């Protein structure tokens, strides 16, 4: 008797997903609730767990296939099973060397324990031609992360050239002179990001206003209290806590920046749910810091650190992404000096942070070297006037330059 494996409910308004990777192969033993397949949705990657213990049966869909909620994707048969995969067909010609796709399923010890790869890791393995069995994983339960593969690729590149070249990645088209082109299908997440950003440009009347911030006071405050803060709250005191608090102050004073359009109506929120842009292996994701205006510095920093950690290991959920009334995106961590961020629909504004750079500025008639940061506020001009946008950004600037304002609500 077999048990059907179906696509689970994926979240509100999400009806379809893309098969990312099979974590269990036909013939392998499966425990109840053990992850057997990963699915990529518009927002996050989700594991499909086994509904019963037994032996992995037939895969009815393949990686890259689109599947709807409730669709039958595999079966689990009765029995104890093993780790070996079905033998190749008799008429299949033996391969002189394992292909990259086969390599990623090879045993890390040369035995029967398969290397389980997430979709992001799989793509990185294929892209760089790395044997996953040769890499020690630093992720949960020793699993490989994308960073592990990139580090191995860098080490391989820095090492002296081998006498024989590595096999070309799957999808690479050889060309004269060793010039290659690799064709890789966009992930569902990347497709959704592209559609949403283009939709924002096509629909909203986007405009960006800029200002610069003297980071001296915040940097001095952070340097003075970071050790005590870390000791008491067990989390690092960063800059995001200050900017989140400053943004909440501005949004309370200028409600339209925290509002959204719905048809011919404007929805004003009496709460602030901040979407925090976080880099994940499959692209940029924006988990939501709910009720940010009511949270302490410590809780904000803890939540943001947790988002970053879970984005890296792929454990963010649909609920983490839902909602959001305003977005903060910190391109400064990647070295950006200035940018014009695009709003995250249906939100109406996004704050862009950039790198801190020492620059000469005029202070009381004298030129001084100060740590300065450009900040940008992109907004939907349909519901936010220029005066309101400029005022909101000015409030953020003043709160960062004089952090006492955050304590006395100025």
């Amino acid at each position: 008797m077999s048990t059907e494996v179906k696509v689970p409910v994926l979240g509100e308004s999400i009806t379809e997903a893309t098969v990312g990777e099979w974590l269990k192969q036909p013939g392998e033993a499966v425990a109840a609730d053990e992850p057997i397949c990963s699915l990529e949705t518009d927002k996050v990657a989700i594991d499909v767990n086994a509904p019963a213990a037994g032996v992995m049966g037939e895969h009815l869909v393949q990686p890259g296939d689109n599947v709807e909620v409730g669709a039958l994707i595999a079966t689990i048969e009765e029995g104890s099973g093993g780790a070996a995969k079905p033998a190749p067909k008799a008429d299949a010609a033996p391969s002189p060397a394992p292909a990259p796709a086969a390599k990623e399923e090879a045993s890390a010890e040369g035995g029967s324990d398969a290397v389980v790869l997430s979709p992001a890791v799989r793509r990185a393995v294929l892209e760089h031609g790395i044997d996953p069995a040769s890499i020690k994983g630093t992720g949960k339960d020793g699993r490989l992360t994308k960073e592990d593969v990139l580090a191995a690729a860098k080490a391989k590149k820095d090492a002296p050239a081998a006498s024989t070249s590595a096999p070309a990645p799957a999808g690479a088209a050889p060309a004269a002179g060793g010039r290659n082109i690799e064709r890789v299908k966009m992930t569902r997440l990347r497709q959704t990001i592209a559609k949403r950003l283009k939709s924002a440009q096509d629909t909203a009347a986007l405009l960006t206003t800029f200002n610069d911030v003297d980071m001296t006071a915040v940097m001095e405050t952070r340097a003075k209290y970071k050790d005590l803060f870390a000791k008491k709250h067990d989390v690092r005191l960063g800059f995001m806590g200050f900017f989140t608090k400053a943004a909440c102050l501005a949004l309370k004073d200028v409600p339209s920046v925290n509002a959204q359009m719905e048809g011919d109506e404007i929805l004003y929120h009496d709460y602030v749910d901040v979407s925090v842009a976080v880099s994940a292996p499959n692209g940029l994701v924006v988990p939501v810091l709910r009720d940010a205006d009511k949270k302490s510095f410590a809780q904000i920093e803890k939540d943001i650190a947790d988002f970053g950690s879970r984005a890296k290991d792929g454990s963010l959920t649909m609920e983490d992404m839902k909602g959001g009334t305003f977005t903060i995106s910190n391109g400064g961590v990647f070295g950006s000096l200035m940018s014009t961020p695009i709003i995250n629909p249906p939100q109406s504004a996004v704050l862009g942070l950039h790198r801190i750079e020492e620059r000469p500025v005029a202070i009381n008639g004298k030129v001084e070297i100060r740590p300065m940061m450009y900040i940008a506020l992109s907004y939907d001009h349909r519901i936010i006037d220029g005066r309101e946008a400029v005022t909101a950004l000015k409030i953020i600037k003043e709160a960062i330059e004089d952090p006492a304002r955050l304590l006395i609500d100025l």
Side-chain angles (χ1 to χ4, degrees):
M1 180 178 177
S2 63
T3 302
E4 295 182 336
V5 180
K6 297 184 177 181
V7 178
V9 175
L10 301 172
E12 184 180 355
S13 75
I14 297 179
T15 60
E16 193 179 56
T18 300
V19 178
E21 181 80 6
W22 282 104
L23 306 178
K24 286 290 184 177
Q25 300 301 320
E28 292 184 336
V30 175
D33 295 325
E34 181 181 10
I36 59 174
C37 176
S38 67
L39 299 177
E40 294 180 355
T41 72
D42 292 350
K43 296 182 178 179
V44 293
I46 295 176
D47 285 340
V48 177
N49 296 330
V55 178
M56 190 69 223
E58 180 184 3
H59 295 167
L60 303 179
V61 293
Q62 300 303 317
D65 289 350
N66 292 333
V67 291
E68 295 183 351
V69 171
L72 180 64
I73 60 174
T75 59
I76 294 178
E77 310 296 336
E78 291 183 337
S80 56
K85 299 178 179 61
K89 295 180 180 179
D91 59 353
S95 173
K103 282 186 178 182
E104 70 189 50
E105 294 172 359
S107 166
E109 302 294 336
S112 62
D113 294 332
V115 180
V116 180
L117 306 178
S118 70
V121 174
R122 181 176 183 273
R123 281 190 293 274
V125 165
L126 295 177
E127 179 182 349
H128 296 284
I130 300 295
D131 182 356
S134 66
I135 310 173
K136 183 178 180 180
T138 61
K140 185 178 180 181
D141 298 327
R143 293 179 67 171
L144 290 182
T145 67
K146 184 178 180 182
E147 287 70 21
D148 296 332
V149 178
L150 296 179
K154 185 177 185 301
K156 179 181 177 181
K157 182 179 179 181
D158 294 342
S163 58
T164 58
S165 59
R179 289 154 54 88
N180 299 323
I181 297 176
E182 182 179 6
R183 189 182 300 275
V184 179
K185 183 177 179 180
M186 292 174 68
T187 64
R188 178 170 291 273
L189 176 61
R190 175 52 60 186
Q191 292 178 46
T192 300
I193 291 172
K195 290 177 183 177
R196 286 174 62 84
L197 293 179
K198 186 56 182 172
S199 175
Q201 287 184 319
D202 292 342
T203 304
L206 288 178
L207 190 63
T208 304
T209 183
F210 299 92
N211 216 319
D212 59 355
V213 178
D214 185 345
M215 297 292 291
T216 301
V218 163
M219 292 178 71
E220 289 177 349
T221 301
R222 182 171 175 267
K224 183 176 181 179
Y225 295 111
K226 65 179 182 179
D227 292 338
L228 288 173
F229 187 89
K231 183 177 180 180
K232 180 174 181 178
H233 300 293
D234 195 29
V235 69
R236 173 178 170 271
L237 177 60
F239 295 120
M240 281 296 289
F242 289 95
F243 277 102
T244 301
K245 282 291 191 182
C248 290
L249 200 65
L251 299 181
K252 289 293 185 181
D253 284 357
V254 190
S256 62
V257 181
N258 195 44
Q260 298 175 4
M261 281 190 68
E262 189 174 278
D264 59 357
E265 296 179 329
I266 299 177
L267 308 182
Y268 292 96
H269 306 96
D270 66 353
Y271 55 87
V272 179
D273 287 351
V274 177
S275 299
V276 183
V278 178
S279 181
N282 288 346
L284 198 69
V285 293
V286 279
V288 179
L289 188 65
R290 306 192 192 283
D291 293 317
D293 52 320
K294 299 179 177 65
K295 291 186 174 180
S296 65
F297 269 85
Q299 192 58 54
I300 289 173
E301 294 290 357
K302 286 179 181 179
D303 288 349
I304 292 175
D306 179 60
F307 288 154
S309 175
R310 290 196 288 141
K312 184 177 179 180
D313 64 25
S315 63
L316 287 171
T317 67
M318 295 292 183
E319 191 62 30
D320 293 324
M321 310 288 186
K322 188 166 38 175
T325 62
F326 182 78
T327 295
I328 298 179
S329 178
N330 186 5
V333 297
F334 304 110
S336 172
L337 176 64
M338 186 180 292
S339 68
T340 55
I342 300 177
I343 63 173
N344 179 25
Q347 297 173 21
S348 300
V350 53
L351 175 67
L353 309 182
H354 303 91
R355 77 170 185 250
I356 301 171
E357 185 176 66
E358 288 193 342
R359 293 198 298 269
V361 293
I363 306 293
N364 297 324
K366 296 181 180 179
V367 175
E368 297 185 15
I369 303 298
R370 293 291 182 97
M372 305 296 293
M373 176 195 288
Y374 289 118
I375 57 176
L377 185 73
S378 290
Y379 59 98
D380 188 345
H381 210 344
R382 294 177 301 170
I383 66 171
I384 303 172
D385 294 332
R387 176 185 59 82
E388 294 172 316
V390 171
T391 299
L393 196 62
K394 185 170 179 286
I395 291 172
I396 294 172
K397 167 186 170 69
E398 291 173 345
I400 295 298
E401 292 184 340
D402 184 7
R405 288 173 173 266
L406 299 175
L407 299 177
I408 57 179
D409 195 17
L410 283 179

